[in-house]
Amino acid sequence: MTIFTASAFSKNNKGGNMAGVGLLSKELSNQRKLDIAAQLGFSETAYVTVIGDKFRFEYFTPTEEVPLCGHATIAAFVVIRDKFSPSKDTYVIETKSGDLSVTLDGDMIFMEQNNPRFYETIQKSDIAACFDMDFVNDKLPIKIGTTGLRDIILPVKSLETLETMKPNLDEISKISHKFDTVGIHAFCFSEERIICRNFAPRYGIPEESATGTSNCVLAGYLWHNNIRKNEYIFEQGYSLNSPSEIIVRLTTDGDDISRVFVGGAGYVGGKKSVK
């Protein structure tokens, strides 16, 4: 079986986050999908099945299935656009987090997400063991949120701190189990830039170079903390030598967010043969 590879959220046609993309003509067992994802070794592999005028998307990490993955969705549409010259600009995809729309906009691909929801505020002491230094920006809360996957949004005090802090993956995995989250999405401000790092060892991902779902949660978090824009640009992946740019657009009505879209550029990496 041949699997395509593609990068999503690339910057200047480089970097981004690579994913496997399986365009299925017949059903595979979940174990087979998991085996392929493990062979590829990417943080996520998307499997795409055509159902009428919709696409069904399923997402697998090297260790288990997850209900949604932004970068793997963008990567899959990079392949669809490159290999099949789609006739429409907007498609509906079926995921285990619900039906979502995907729009092809020139070189960019945007995926609608569920509106962000927020839950517990986490105390600094709860995650003190996750990193090797005093890292928290105390002016903002540490918050759990989701647009399909639960994440811990962690404000970090400075760019230097973000760049140099070393994750304790065992502790991050423990805290992720405790609060039933995918992992920790850390961010800081550097003048007008917003720079992020993402850690999800619970799902076999020590660090990820670009995360669509997490940055959608972050956009909602910033909006609700009165750092308001209708378009946010997030940078990620520098620590992995894979610079990425993730764009999140919000449609708002007063203080409320009514729609959320995440997007970026991408490129096809090639094909992988799997056993």
Side-chain angles (χ1 to χ4, degrees), residues 130-131 151-152 154 156 162 165-169 172-173 175-176 181-187 196-203 205-208 211 214 236 239-240:
C130 291
F131 300 96
D151 271 298
I152 297 170
L154 170 62
V156 173
L162 185 75
M165 65 185 193
K166 296 178 181 178
N168 184 322
L169 298 179
I172 294 174
S173 186
I175 204 74
S176 300
T181 62
V182 172
I184 292 177
H185 193 62
F187 77 96
C196 311
R197 294 178 70 182
N198 186 277
F199 309 96
R202 178 184 178 185
Y203 288 89
I205 307 166
E207 184 170 355
E208 196 155 29
T211 45
S214 301
Q236 195 176 326
S239 58
L240 299 173

PDB file of all heavy atoms in Angstrom, residues 130-131 151-152 154 156 162 165-169 172-173 175-176 181-187 196-203 205-208 211 214 236 239-240:
ATOM      1  N   CYS A 130       6.846  19.849  35.183  1.00  0.00           N
ATOM      2  CA  CYS A 130       6.844  19.532  33.747  1.00  0.00           C
ATOM      3  C   CYS A 130       8.028  20.139  33.005  1.00  0.00           C
ATOM      4  O   CYS A 130       8.382  19.669  31.921  1.00  0.00           O
ATOM      5  CB  CYS A 130       5.541  20.000  33.102  1.00  0.00           C
ATOM      6  SG  CYS A 130       4.097  19.052  33.637  1.00  0.00           S
ATOM      7  N   PHE A 131       8.605  21.190  33.553  1.00  0.00           N
ATOM      8  CA  PHE A 131       9.741  21.848  32.903  1.00  0.00           C
ATOM      9  C   PHE A 131      10.796  22.157  33.951  1.00  0.00           C
ATOM     10  O   PHE A 131      10.543  22.089  35.150  1.00  0.00           O
ATOM     11  CB  PHE A 131       9.286  23.107  32.163  1.00  0.00           C
ATOM     12  CG  PHE A 131       8.273  22.826  31.082  1.00  0.00           C
ATOM     13  CD1 PHE A 131       6.921  22.962  31.347  1.00  0.00           C
ATOM     14  CD2 PHE A 131       8.666  22.398  29.827  1.00  0.00           C
ATOM     15  CE1 PHE A 131       5.969  22.691  30.365  1.00  0.00           C
ATOM     16  CE2 PHE A 131       7.721  22.121  28.841  1.00  0.00           C
ATOM     17  CZ  PHE A 131       6.385  22.261  29.108  1.00  0.00           C
ATOM     18  N   ASP A 151      -6.605  20.628  25.353  1.00  0.00           N
ATOM     19  CA  ASP A 151      -5.215  21.022  25.528  1.00  0.00           C
ATOM     20  C   ASP A 151      -5.075  21.909  26.751  1.00  0.00           C
ATOM     21  O   ASP A 151      -6.004  22.634  27.119  1.00  0.00           O
ATOM     22  CB  ASP A 151      -4.707  21.809  24.307  1.00  0.00           C
ATOM     23  CG  ASP A 151      -4.117  20.917  23.237  1.00  0.00           C
ATOM     24  OD1 ASP A 151      -3.116  20.244  23.523  1.00  0.00           O
ATOM     25  OD2 ASP A 151      -4.663  20.902  22.122  1.00  0.00           O
ATOM     26  N   ILE A 152      -3.883  21.865  27.345  1.00  0.00           N
ATOM     27  CA  ILE A 152      -3.522  22.817  28.390  1.00  0.00           C
ATOM     28  C   ILE A 152      -2.816  23.986  27.709  1.00  0.00           C
ATOM     29  O   ILE A 152      -1.766  23.804  27.086  1.00  0.00           O
ATOM     30  CB  ILE A 152      -2.604  22.172  29.436  1.00  0.00           C
ATOM     31  CG1 ILE A 152      -3.321  21.019  30.150  1.00  0.00           C
ATOM     32  CG2 ILE A 152      -2.134  23.222  30.453  1.00  0.00           C
ATOM     33  CD1 ILE A 152      -2.410  20.176  31.028  1.00  0.00           C
ATOM     34  N   LEU A 154      -0.622  27.095  28.022  1.00  0.00           N
ATOM     35  CA  LEU A 154       0.364  27.514  29.015  1.00  0.00           C
ATOM     36  C   LEU A 154       1.058  28.807  28.563  1.00  0.00           C
ATOM     37  O   LEU A 154       1.855  28.784  27.616  1.00  0.00           O
ATOM     38  CB  LEU A 154       1.406  26.411  29.206  1.00  0.00           C
ATOM     39  CG  LEU A 154       2.642  26.758  30.034  1.00  0.00           C
ATOM     40  CD1 LEU A 154       2.247  27.115  31.464  1.00  0.00           C
ATOM     41  CD2 LEU A 154       3.627  25.594  30.024  1.00  0.00           C
ATOM     42  N   VAL A 156       3.915  31.435  28.698  1.00  0.00           N
ATOM     43  CA  VAL A 156       5.311  31.408  29.132  1.00  0.00           C
ATOM     44  C   VAL A 156       5.838  32.839  29.174  1.00  0.00           C
ATOM     45  O   VAL A 156       5.475  33.683  28.354  1.00  0.00           O
ATOM     46  CB  VAL A 156       6.154  30.521  28.179  1.00  0.00           C
ATOM     47  CG1 VAL A 156       7.635  30.605  28.496  1.00  0.00           C
ATOM     48  CG2 VAL A 156       5.666  29.078  28.276  1.00  0.00           C
ATOM     49  N   LEU A 162      10.859  30.189  26.591  1.00  0.00           N
ATOM     50  CA  LEU A 162      10.220  29.207  25.712  1.00  0.00           C
ATOM     51  C   LEU A 162      11.266  28.398  24.946  1.00  0.00           C
ATOM     52  O   LEU A 162      11.139  27.174  24.803  1.00  0.00           O
ATOM     53  CB  LEU A 162       9.285  29.914  24.735  1.00  0.00           C
ATOM     54  CG  LEU A 162       8.456  29.001  23.833  1.00  0.00           C
ATOM     55  CD1 LEU A 162       7.310  28.370  24.610  1.00  0.00           C
ATOM     56  CD2 LEU A 162       7.918  29.768  22.625  1.00  0.00           C
ATOM     57  N   MET A 165      13.501  26.095  27.750  1.00  0.00           N
ATOM     58  CA  MET A 165      12.942  25.180  28.741  1.00  0.00           C
ATOM     59  C   MET A 165      12.924  23.749  28.192  1.00  0.00           C
ATOM     60  O   MET A 165      12.642  23.513  27.017  1.00  0.00           O
ATOM     61  CB  MET A 165      11.537  25.617  29.164  1.00  0.00           C
ATOM     62  CG  MET A 165      10.468  25.598  28.129  1.00  0.00           C
ATOM     63  SD  MET A 165       8.944  26.302  28.827  1.00  0.00           S
ATOM     64  CE  MET A 165       7.757  25.828  27.582  1.00  0.00           C
ATOM     65  N   LYS A 166      13.263  22.818  29.076  1.00  0.00           N
ATOM     66  CA  LYS A 166      13.365  21.415  28.698  1.00  0.00           C
ATOM     67  C   LYS A 166      12.193  20.646  29.294  1.00  0.00           C
ATOM     68  O   LYS A 166      12.004  20.640  30.516  1.00  0.00           O
ATOM     69  CB  LYS A 166      14.692  20.834  29.183  1.00  0.00           C
ATOM     70  CG  LYS A 166      15.908  21.486  28.530  1.00  0.00           C
ATOM     71  CD  LYS A 166      17.206  20.913  29.074  1.00  0.00           C
ATOM     72  CE  LYS A 166      18.405  21.593  28.429  1.00  0.00           C
ATOM     73  NZ  LYS A 166      19.692  21.081  28.991  1.00  0.00           N
ATOM     74  N   PRO A 167      11.410  19.986  28.440  1.00  0.00           N
ATOM     75  CA  PRO A 167      10.234  19.283  28.954  1.00  0.00           C
ATOM     76  C   PRO A 167      10.600  17.988  29.671  1.00  0.00           C
ATOM     77  O   PRO A 167      11.482  17.253  29.242  1.00  0.00           O
ATOM     78  CB  PRO A 167       9.435  18.980  27.682  1.00  0.00           C
ATOM     79  CG  PRO A 167      10.477  18.880  26.615  1.00  0.00           C
ATOM     80  CD  PRO A 167      11.533  19.887  26.979  1.00  0.00           C
ATOM     81  N   ASN A 168       9.919  17.734  30.774  1.00  0.00           N
ATOM     82  CA  ASN A 168       9.966  16.426  31.432  1.00  0.00           C
ATOM     83  C   ASN A 168       8.779  15.636  30.877  1.00  0.00           C
ATOM     84  O   ASN A 168       7.639  15.825  31.306  1.00  0.00           O
ATOM     85  CB  ASN A 168       9.870  16.584  32.949  1.00  0.00           C
ATOM     86  CG  ASN A 168      10.003  15.257  33.679  1.00  0.00           C
ATOM     87  OD1 ASN A 168       9.497  14.229  33.223  1.00  0.00           O
ATOM     88  ND2 ASN A 168      10.675  15.280  34.821  1.00  0.00           N
ATOM     89  N   LEU A 169       9.050  14.775  29.914  1.00  0.00           N
ATOM     90  CA  LEU A 169       7.965  14.135  29.169  1.00  0.00           C
ATOM     91  C   LEU A 169       7.133  13.216  30.053  1.00  0.00           C
ATOM     92  O   LEU A 169       5.916  13.098  29.860  1.00  0.00           O
ATOM     93  CB  LEU A 169       8.535  13.377  27.970  1.00  0.00           C
ATOM     94  CG  LEU A 169       9.262  14.259  26.938  1.00  0.00           C
ATOM     95  CD1 LEU A 169       9.809  13.405  25.803  1.00  0.00           C
ATOM     96  CD2 LEU A 169       8.352  15.355  26.388  1.00  0.00           C
ATOM     97  N   ILE A 172       4.765  15.526  31.906  1.00  0.00           N
ATOM     98  CA  ILE A 172       3.735  16.056  31.012  1.00  0.00           C
ATOM     99  C   ILE A 172       2.703  14.978  30.695  1.00  0.00           C
ATOM    100  O   ILE A 172       1.494  15.242  30.656  1.00  0.00           O
ATOM    101  CB  ILE A 172       4.374  16.615  29.719  1.00  0.00           C
ATOM    102  CG1 ILE A 172       5.233  17.837  30.048  1.00  0.00           C
ATOM    103  CG2 ILE A 172       3.289  17.002  28.706  1.00  0.00           C
ATOM    104  CD1 ILE A 172       6.027  18.375  28.881  1.00  0.00           C
ATOM    105  N   SER A 173       3.167  13.752  30.494  1.00  0.00           N
ATOM    106  CA  SER A 173       2.237  12.646  30.255  1.00  0.00           C
ATOM    107  C   SER A 173       1.332  12.426  31.464  1.00  0.00           C
ATOM    108  O   SER A 173       0.115  12.221  31.323  1.00  0.00           O
ATOM    109  CB  SER A 173       3.021  11.377  29.926  1.00  0.00           C
ATOM    110  OG  SER A 173       2.150  10.342  29.555  1.00  0.00           O
ATOM    111  N   ILE A 175       0.428  14.650  33.777  1.00  0.00           N
ATOM    112  CA  ILE A 175      -0.536  15.739  33.924  1.00  0.00           C
ATOM    113  C   ILE A 175      -1.596  15.664  32.831  1.00  0.00           C
ATOM    114  O   ILE A 175      -2.763  16.012  33.036  1.00  0.00           O
ATOM    115  CB  ILE A 175       0.184  17.109  33.947  1.00  0.00           C
ATOM    116  CG1 ILE A 175      -0.684  18.150  34.669  1.00  0.00           C
ATOM    117  CG2 ILE A 175       0.536  17.612  32.579  1.00  0.00           C
ATOM    118  CD1 ILE A 175      -0.721  17.984  36.154  1.00  0.00           C
ATOM    119  N   SER A 176      -1.206  15.182  31.653  1.00  0.00           N
ATOM    120  CA  SER A 176      -2.166  15.025  30.560  1.00  0.00           C
ATOM    121  C   SER A 176      -3.191  13.953  30.894  1.00  0.00           C
ATOM    122  O   SER A 176      -4.388  14.104  30.599  1.00  0.00           O
ATOM    123  CB  SER A 176      -1.432  14.678  29.260  1.00  0.00           C
ATOM    124  OG  SER A 176      -0.516  15.686  28.912  1.00  0.00           O
ATOM    125  N   THR A 181      -6.113  15.546  28.862  1.00  0.00           N
ATOM    126  CA  THR A 181      -5.764  16.422  27.757  1.00  0.00           C
ATOM    127  C   THR A 181      -4.800  15.705  26.821  1.00  0.00           C
ATOM    128  O   THR A 181      -4.170  14.712  27.181  1.00  0.00           O
ATOM    129  CB  THR A 181      -5.103  17.719  28.255  1.00  0.00           C
ATOM    130  OG1 THR A 181      -3.877  17.392  28.927  1.00  0.00           O
ATOM    131  CG2 THR A 181      -6.019  18.475  29.187  1.00  0.00           C
ATOM    132  N   VAL A 182      -4.681  16.235  25.602  1.00  0.00           N
ATOM    133  CA  VAL A 182      -3.690  15.714  24.668  1.00  0.00           C
ATOM    134  C   VAL A 182      -2.285  16.055  25.157  1.00  0.00           C
ATOM    135  O   VAL A 182      -1.370  15.235  25.107  1.00  0.00           O
ATOM    136  CB  VAL A 182      -3.927  16.278  23.262  1.00  0.00           C
ATOM    137  CG1 VAL A 182      -2.787  15.901  22.316  1.00  0.00           C
ATOM    138  CG2 VAL A 182      -5.251  15.772  22.706  1.00  0.00           C
ATOM    139  N   GLY A 183      -2.107  17.278  25.622  1.00  0.00           N
ATOM    140  CA  GLY A 183      -0.793  17.695  26.077  1.00  0.00           C
ATOM    141  C   GLY A 183      -0.793  19.146  26.489  1.00  0.00           C
ATOM    142  O   GLY A 183      -1.824  19.691  26.911  1.00  0.00           O
ATOM    143  N   ILE A 184       0.369  19.767  26.373  1.00  0.00           N
ATOM    144  CA  ILE A 184       0.566  21.161  26.767  1.00  0.00           C
ATOM    145  C   ILE A 184       0.947  21.976  25.539  1.00  0.00           C
ATOM    146  O   ILE A 184       1.866  21.616  24.796  1.00  0.00           O
ATOM    147  CB  ILE A 184       1.668  21.274  27.833  1.00  0.00           C
ATOM    148  CG1 ILE A 184       1.204  20.633  29.152  1.00  0.00           C
ATOM    149  CG2 ILE A 184       2.061  22.731  28.062  1.00  0.00           C
ATOM    150  CD1 ILE A 184       2.261  20.634  30.243  1.00  0.00           C
ATOM    151  N   HIS A 185       0.234  23.089  25.343  1.00  0.00           N
ATOM    152  CA  HIS A 185       0.545  24.019  24.270  1.00  0.00           C
ATOM    153  C   HIS A 185       1.057  25.295  24.913  1.00  0.00           C
ATOM    154  O   HIS A 185       0.301  26.067  25.521  1.00  0.00           O
ATOM    155  CB  HIS A 185      -0.692  24.303  23.425  1.00  0.00           C
ATOM    156  CG  HIS A 185      -0.392  24.995  22.136  1.00  0.00           C
ATOM    157  ND1 HIS A 185       0.385  24.440  21.154  1.00  0.00           N
ATOM    158  CD2 HIS A 185      -0.772  26.223  21.666  1.00  0.00           C
ATOM    159  CE1 HIS A 185       0.481  25.273  20.124  1.00  0.00           C
ATOM    160  NE2 HIS A 185      -0.205  26.369  20.423  1.00  0.00           N
ATOM    161  N   ALA A 186       2.374  25.501  24.824  1.00  0.00           N
ATOM    162  CA  ALA A 186       3.026  26.644  25.462  1.00  0.00           C
ATOM    163  C   ALA A 186       3.209  27.762  24.444  1.00  0.00           C
ATOM    164  O   ALA A 186       3.498  27.499  23.270  1.00  0.00           O
ATOM    165  CB  ALA A 186       4.369  26.214  26.037  1.00  0.00           C
ATOM    166  N   PHE A 187       3.075  29.007  24.899  1.00  0.00           N
ATOM    167  CA  PHE A 187       3.242  30.136  23.976  1.00  0.00           C
ATOM    168  C   PHE A 187       3.819  31.328  24.722  1.00  0.00           C
ATOM    169  O   PHE A 187       3.738  31.434  25.955  1.00  0.00           O
ATOM    170  CB  PHE A 187       1.907  30.530  23.340  1.00  0.00           C
ATOM    171  CG  PHE A 187       1.003  31.313  24.265  1.00  0.00           C
ATOM    172  CD1 PHE A 187       0.968  32.711  24.219  1.00  0.00           C
ATOM    173  CD2 PHE A 187       0.195  30.663  25.189  1.00  0.00           C
ATOM    174  CE1 PHE A 187       0.148  33.427  25.069  1.00  0.00           C
ATOM    175  CE2 PHE A 187      -0.624  31.384  26.056  1.00  0.00           C
ATOM    176  CZ  PHE A 187      -0.649  32.770  25.991  1.00  0.00           C
ATOM    177  N   CYS A 196       5.067  29.441  19.670  1.00  0.00           N
ATOM    178  CA  CYS A 196       4.512  28.321  20.424  1.00  0.00           C
ATOM    179  C   CYS A 196       5.429  27.099  20.397  1.00  0.00           C
ATOM    180  O   CYS A 196       6.231  26.916  19.480  1.00  0.00           O
ATOM    181  CB  CYS A 196       3.157  27.894  19.836  1.00  0.00           C
ATOM    182  SG  CYS A 196       2.001  29.247  19.551  1.00  0.00           S
ATOM    183  N   ARG A 197       5.248  26.259  21.406  1.00  0.00           N
ATOM    184  CA  ARG A 197       5.782  24.895  21.408  1.00  0.00           C
ATOM    185  C   ARG A 197       4.677  23.982  21.917  1.00  0.00           C
ATOM    186  O   ARG A 197       3.883  24.373  22.784  1.00  0.00           O
ATOM    187  CB  ARG A 197       7.031  24.758  22.289  1.00  0.00           C
ATOM    188  CG  ARG A 197       8.229  25.539  21.776  1.00  0.00           C
ATOM    189  CD  ARG A 197       9.433  25.402  22.705  1.00  0.00           C
ATOM    190  NE  ARG A 197       9.986  24.045  22.653  1.00  0.00           N
ATOM    191  CZ  ARG A 197      11.020  23.643  23.407  1.00  0.00           C
ATOM    192  NH1 ARG A 197      11.572  24.494  24.287  1.00  0.00           N
ATOM    193  NH2 ARG A 197      11.491  22.415  23.307  1.00  0.00           N
ATOM    194  N   ASN A 198       4.616  22.752  21.388  1.00  0.00           N
ATOM    195  CA  ASN A 198       3.536  21.828  21.731  1.00  0.00           C
ATOM    196  C   ASN A 198       4.118  20.480  22.125  1.00  0.00           C
ATOM    197  O   ASN A 198       4.921  19.901  21.390  1.00  0.00           O
ATOM    198  CB  ASN A 198       2.582  21.683  20.546  1.00  0.00           C
ATOM    199  CG  ASN A 198       1.369  20.852  20.898  1.00  0.00           C
ATOM    200  OD1 ASN A 198       1.421  19.633  20.861  1.00  0.00           O
ATOM    201  ND2 ASN A 198       0.275  21.504  21.227  1.00  0.00           N
ATOM    202  N   PHE A 199       3.672  19.954  23.281  1.00  0.00           N
ATOM    203  CA  PHE A 199       4.188  18.696  23.821  1.00  0.00           C
ATOM    204  C   PHE A 199       3.026  17.740  24.075  1.00  0.00           C
ATOM    205  O   PHE A 199       2.095  18.075  24.810  1.00  0.00           O
ATOM    206  CB  PHE A 199       4.932  18.957  25.129  1.00  0.00           C
ATOM    207  CG  PHE A 199       5.968  20.046  25.024  1.00  0.00           C
ATOM    208  CD1 PHE A 199       5.660  21.355  25.406  1.00  0.00           C
ATOM    209  CD2 PHE A 199       7.233  19.783  24.540  1.00  0.00           C
ATOM    210  CE1 PHE A 199       6.607  22.369  25.308  1.00  0.00           C
ATOM    211  CE2 PHE A 199       8.190  20.782  24.434  1.00  0.00           C
ATOM    212  CZ  PHE A 199       7.875  22.079  24.816  1.00  0.00           C
ATOM    213  N   ALA A 200       3.079  16.548  23.481  1.00  0.00           N
ATOM    214  CA  ALA A 200       1.991  15.575  23.637  1.00  0.00           C
ATOM    215  C   ALA A 200       2.538  14.155  23.816  1.00  0.00           C
ATOM    216  O   ALA A 200       2.201  13.240  23.062  1.00  0.00           O
ATOM    217  CB  ALA A 200       1.051  15.643  22.446  1.00  0.00           C
ATOM    218  N   PRO A 201       3.391  13.927  24.830  1.00  0.00           N
ATOM    219  CA  PRO A 201       3.978  12.590  25.008  1.00  0.00           C
ATOM    220  C   PRO A 201       2.952  11.524  25.354  1.00  0.00           C
ATOM    221  O   PRO A 201       3.210  10.332  25.125  1.00  0.00           O
ATOM    222  CB  PRO A 201       4.980  12.796  26.144  1.00  0.00           C
ATOM    223  CG  PRO A 201       4.486  14.005  26.887  1.00  0.00           C
ATOM    224  CD  PRO A 201       3.895  14.893  25.829  1.00  0.00           C
ATOM    225  N   ARG A 202       1.806  11.915  25.894  1.00  0.00           N
ATOM    226  CA  ARG A 202       0.755  10.925  26.178  1.00  0.00           C
ATOM    227  C   ARG A 202       0.367  10.164  24.912  1.00  0.00           C
ATOM    228  O   ARG A 202      -0.014   8.992  24.974  1.00  0.00           O
ATOM    229  CB  ARG A 202      -0.472  11.635  26.767  1.00  0.00           C
ATOM    230  CG  ARG A 202      -1.642  10.705  27.042  1.00  0.00           C
ATOM    231  CD  ARG A 202      -2.875  11.459  27.525  1.00  0.00           C
ATOM    232  NE  ARG A 202      -3.993  10.556  27.727  1.00  0.00           N
ATOM    233  CZ  ARG A 202      -5.221  10.941  28.046  1.00  0.00           C
ATOM    234  NH1 ARG A 202      -5.480  12.233  28.220  1.00  0.00           N
ATOM    235  NH2 ARG A 202      -6.189  10.054  28.199  1.00  0.00           N
ATOM    236  N   TYR A 203       0.468  10.817  23.753  1.00  0.00           N
ATOM    237  CA  TYR A 203       0.113  10.206  22.477  1.00  0.00           C
ATOM    238  C   TYR A 203       1.341   9.892  21.628  1.00  0.00           C
ATOM    239  O   TYR A 203       1.250   9.794  20.411  1.00  0.00           O
ATOM    240  CB  TYR A 203      -0.856  11.120  21.719  1.00  0.00           C
ATOM    241  CG  TYR A 203      -2.231  11.136  22.336  1.00  0.00           C
ATOM    242  CD1 TYR A 203      -2.542  12.059  23.332  1.00  0.00           C
ATOM    243  CD2 TYR A 203      -3.197  10.210  21.973  1.00  0.00           C
ATOM    244  CE1 TYR A 203      -3.794  12.066  23.939  1.00  0.00           C
ATOM    245  CE2 TYR A 203      -4.445  10.210  22.567  1.00  0.00           C
ATOM    246  CZ  TYR A 203      -4.741  11.136  23.540  1.00  0.00           C
ATOM    247  OH  TYR A 203      -5.977  11.137  24.133  1.00  0.00           O
ATOM    248  N   ILE A 205       4.039  11.739  21.136  1.00  0.00           N
ATOM    249  CA  ILE A 205       4.570  12.899  20.409  1.00  0.00           C
ATOM    250  C   ILE A 205       5.348  13.771  21.397  1.00  0.00           C
ATOM    251  O   ILE A 205       4.752  14.595  22.110  1.00  0.00           O
ATOM    252  CB  ILE A 205       3.433  13.715  19.761  1.00  0.00           C
ATOM    253  CG1 ILE A 205       2.542  12.822  18.900  1.00  0.00           C
ATOM    254  CG2 ILE A 205       4.012  14.844  18.914  1.00  0.00           C
ATOM    255  CD1 ILE A 205       1.232  13.467  18.501  1.00  0.00           C
ATOM    256  N   PRO A 206       6.670  13.615  21.479  1.00  0.00           N
ATOM    257  CA  PRO A 206       7.437  14.432  22.423  1.00  0.00           C
ATOM    258  C   PRO A 206       7.252  15.927  22.183  1.00  0.00           C
ATOM    259  O   PRO A 206       7.055  16.697  23.126  1.00  0.00           O
ATOM    260  CB  PRO A 206       8.881  13.991  22.169  1.00  0.00           C
ATOM    261  CG  PRO A 206       8.777  12.627  21.590  1.00  0.00           C
ATOM    262  CD  PRO A 206       7.523  12.636  20.770  1.00  0.00           C
ATOM    263  N   GLU A 207       7.338  16.347  20.921  1.00  0.00           N
ATOM    264  CA  GLU A 207       7.090  17.740  20.554  1.00  0.00           C
ATOM    265  C   GLU A 207       6.651  17.773  19.099  1.00  0.00           C
ATOM    266  O   GLU A 207       7.127  16.983  18.285  1.00  0.00           O
ATOM    267  CB  GLU A 207       8.323  18.613  20.759  1.00  0.00           C
ATOM    268  CG  GLU A 207       8.048  20.086  20.481  1.00  0.00           C
ATOM    269  CD  GLU A 207       9.163  21.029  20.899  1.00  0.00           C
ATOM    270  OE1 GLU A 207      10.144  20.554  21.513  1.00  0.00           O
ATOM    271  OE2 GLU A 207       9.054  22.236  20.603  1.00  0.00           O
ATOM    272  N   GLU A 208       5.749  18.712  18.792  1.00  0.00           N
ATOM    273  CA  GLU A 208       5.186  18.795  17.448  1.00  0.00           C
ATOM    274  C   GLU A 208       5.490  20.165  16.845  1.00  0.00           C
ATOM    275  O   GLU A 208       5.433  21.184  17.528  1.00  0.00           O
ATOM    276  CB  GLU A 208       3.679  18.550  17.499  1.00  0.00           C
ATOM    277  CG  GLU A 208       3.062  18.242  16.163  1.00  0.00           C
ATOM    278  CD  GLU A 208       1.782  17.429  16.290  1.00  0.00           C
ATOM    279  OE1 GLU A 208       1.081  17.553  17.306  1.00  0.00           O
ATOM    280  OE2 GLU A 208       1.489  16.684  15.354  1.00  0.00           O
ATOM    281  N   THR A 211       0.590  22.685  15.113  1.00  0.00           N
ATOM    282  CA  THR A 211      -0.634  22.065  15.615  1.00  0.00           C
ATOM    283  C   THR A 211      -1.818  22.985  15.338  1.00  0.00           C
ATOM    284  O   THR A 211      -1.917  24.066  15.909  1.00  0.00           O
ATOM    285  CB  THR A 211      -0.531  21.789  17.128  1.00  0.00           C
ATOM    286  OG1 THR A 211       0.012  22.945  17.776  1.00  0.00           O
ATOM    287  CG2 THR A 211       0.372  20.609  17.406  1.00  0.00           C
ATOM    288  N   SER A 214      -4.600  22.988  18.512  1.00  0.00           N
ATOM    289  CA  SER A 214      -4.097  23.698  19.697  1.00  0.00           C
ATOM    290  C   SER A 214      -4.072  25.202  19.466  1.00  0.00           C
ATOM    291  O   SER A 214      -4.396  25.996  20.371  1.00  0.00           O
ATOM    292  CB  SER A 214      -2.694  23.218  20.046  1.00  0.00           C
ATOM    293  OG  SER A 214      -2.675  21.832  20.292  1.00  0.00           O
ATOM    294  N   GLN A 236       5.633  28.303  15.082  1.00  0.00           N
ATOM    295  CA  GLN A 236       5.921  27.093  15.852  1.00  0.00           C
ATOM    296  C   GLN A 236       7.016  26.306  15.124  1.00  0.00           C
ATOM    297  O   GLN A 236       7.295  26.549  13.943  1.00  0.00           O
ATOM    298  CB  GLN A 236       4.637  26.252  15.986  1.00  0.00           C
ATOM    299  CG  GLN A 236       4.668  25.171  17.039  1.00  0.00           C
ATOM    300  CD  GLN A 236       3.319  24.469  17.170  1.00  0.00           C
ATOM    301  OE1 GLN A 236       2.269  25.095  17.012  1.00  0.00           O
ATOM    302  NE2 GLN A 236       3.336  23.187  17.452  1.00  0.00           N
ATOM    303  N   SER A 239      12.237  24.984  17.448  1.00  0.00           N
ATOM    304  CA  SER A 239      13.084  24.090  18.248  1.00  0.00           C
ATOM    305  C   SER A 239      13.317  22.757  17.548  1.00  0.00           C
ATOM    306  O   SER A 239      14.218  22.006  17.925  1.00  0.00           O
ATOM    307  CB  SER A 239      12.450  23.846  19.620  1.00  0.00           C
ATOM    308  OG  SER A 239      11.151  23.302  19.474  1.00  0.00           O
ATOM    309  N   LEU A 240      12.512  22.456  16.526  1.00  0.00           N
ATOM    310  CA  LEU A 240      12.651  21.214  15.762  1.00  0.00           C
ATOM    311  C   LEU A 240      13.247  21.473  14.378  1.00  0.00           C
ATOM    312  O   LEU A 240      13.218  20.586  13.524  1.00  0.00           O
ATOM    313  CB  LEU A 240      11.282  20.537  15.627  1.00  0.00           C
ATOM    314  CG  LEU A 240      10.613  20.142  16.948  1.00  0.00           C
ATOM    315  CD1 LEU A 240       9.190  19.651  16.692  1.00  0.00           C
ATOM    316  CD2 LEU A 240      11.416  19.081  17.672  1.00  0.00           C
TER     317      LEU A 240
END
